[in-house]
Amino acid sequence: MDPVPPPPAHPLRRTPIQQRSADRLARILDACAELLDETGYENLSTRAVALRAGVPIGSVYRFFGNKRAMAIALAHRNLDRYTEGIADRLAALPAGDWRPVVDAVLDEYLAMKRTVPGFALVDFGVPAPPAEGPAADPNRLVAVRLTELLGAHLGLTPDAALERAVLVAVEATDALTKLAFRADPAGDPGIVAETRTMMHAYLAHALD
C-alpha cells in the first residue's frame, strides 16, 4: 500500500494562544455543529454561526476563510475527541484480546453518532474535491489514528499491512453504519450487530 500522505494543512487561519481566543473558537465550532443539524451544510453560513456563537462576524473570519474551513476544523475536533474516547475505553481493557478493542472502536463511533451535534453530516471530514486527493480522505485519517491505537494497545507493529487492514475495515464499517442510520435514526440494531460481526470476521486475519 502506498504511504498515506500527511494530513491536509489545518484549516485555522490563526491558532488561538490565549484562553479567551480558544474559548471563542470552541463556541464557533459548537455553533457550527448545532446549525449543521438544523439547516444542513448547504444552508450553513458564517454569519449564522457568528450570531449563534454570540461573536462578531470578524471573529469567525479571524479563524476561517469560509464555511468549508470551519466544517473541516469541526471534523478535526471530532477526530481528536473520537481518538480520546477510544483511548479512555481501551484504558479499561486488557491487551490480550483484540475483540473488545474492536468493539470499543465501534461503540465510541456509535455513541458520537447518536449524541454529538453536527456529527451526522460532518463526522471526520467533509466531501473533498478531487484536487485535494487522498490526504483529505477522512477514512484514511481515521485508519492512521486507529492503527496507532490498536498497535500500542495490542503490542502490534503499526506497519503497512495492519494499516491496510484497518483502512478496509473502516471503509466497510463506514458504509454499514450509514446504512444502519438511514434505516433508524438511532442506528438499526440488527445492522449494527451485523457490522460488529463483519469487523470481527474481517480483522481476525490481521489481529489473531
Side-chain angles (χ1 to χ4, degrees), residues 30-41 43-44 52 117-118 121:
D30 288 344
C32 175
E34 292 171 2
L35 287 167
L36 280 168
D37 282 340
E38 295 172 16
T39 69
Y41 179 75
N43 294 319
L44 183 70
R52 177 64 61 90
L121 290 181

Side-chain angles (χ1 to χ4, degrees), residues 9-73:
H10 201 281
L12 288 180
R13 279 178 159 177
R14 178 181 300 179
T15 301
I17 298 174
Q18 296 182 339
Q19 185 61 45
R20 183 173 63 180
S21 293
D23 292 343
R24 181 171 292 184
L25 174 60
R27 291 205 311 274
I28 290 169
L29 292 180
D30 288 344
C32 175
E34 292 171 2
L35 287 167
L36 280 168
D37 282 340
E38 295 172 16
T39 69
Y41 179 75
E42 292 302 320
N43 294 319
L44 183 70
S45 73
T46 52
R47 184 167 298 278
V49 169
L51 287 171
R52 177 64 61 90
V55 302
I57 186 67
S59 293
V60 176
Y61 286 121
R62 189 172 296 120
F63 292 116
F64 307 109
N66 52 44
K67 72 175 184 180
R68 180 176 178 80
M70 187 166 49
I72 291 173

Side-chain angles (χ1 to χ4, degrees), residues 96-205:
D97 187 355
W98 60 265
R99 288 168 182 81
V101 175
V102 171
D103 287 339
V105 168
L106 178 58
D107 290 340
E108 183 63 22
Y109 180 79
L110 293 172
M112 292 185 71
K113 188 85 167 175
R114 290 165 178 150
T115 63
V116 174
F119 197 79
L121 290 181
V122 174
D123 49 12
F124 306 125
V126 295
E132 292 188 14
D137 180 357
N139 284 345
R140 280 185 174 269
L141 300 180
V142 173
V144 169
R145 295 281 190 99
L146 292 182
T147 301
E148 294 170 354
L149 285 168
L150 292 175
H153 188 77
L154 297 172
L156 301 173
T157 302
D159 56 14
L162 179 60
E163 190 173 298
R164 182 171 54 247
V166 172
L167 176 60
V168 171
V170 167
E171 289 283 356
T173 302
D174 183 38
L176 288 172
T177 51
K178 282 184 171 65
L179 175 62
F181 281 85
R182 283 202 307 270
D184 182 335
D188 181 272
I191 297 175
V192 168
E194 293 291 341
T195 302
R196 199 179 303 275
T197 298
M198 178 279 298
M199 292 175 69
H200 288 183
Y202 173 72
L203 288 171
H205 81 285

Side-chain angles (χ1 to χ4, degrees), residues 74-100:
L74 177 63
H76 284 196
R77 186 175 76 169
N78 286 341
L79 181 54
D80 288 342
R81 290 181 175 179
Y82 178 57
T83 304
E84 292 163 5
I86 292 172
D88 288 343
R89 289 175 184 265
L90 296 189
L93 295 176
D97 187 355
W98 60 265
R99 288 168 182 81

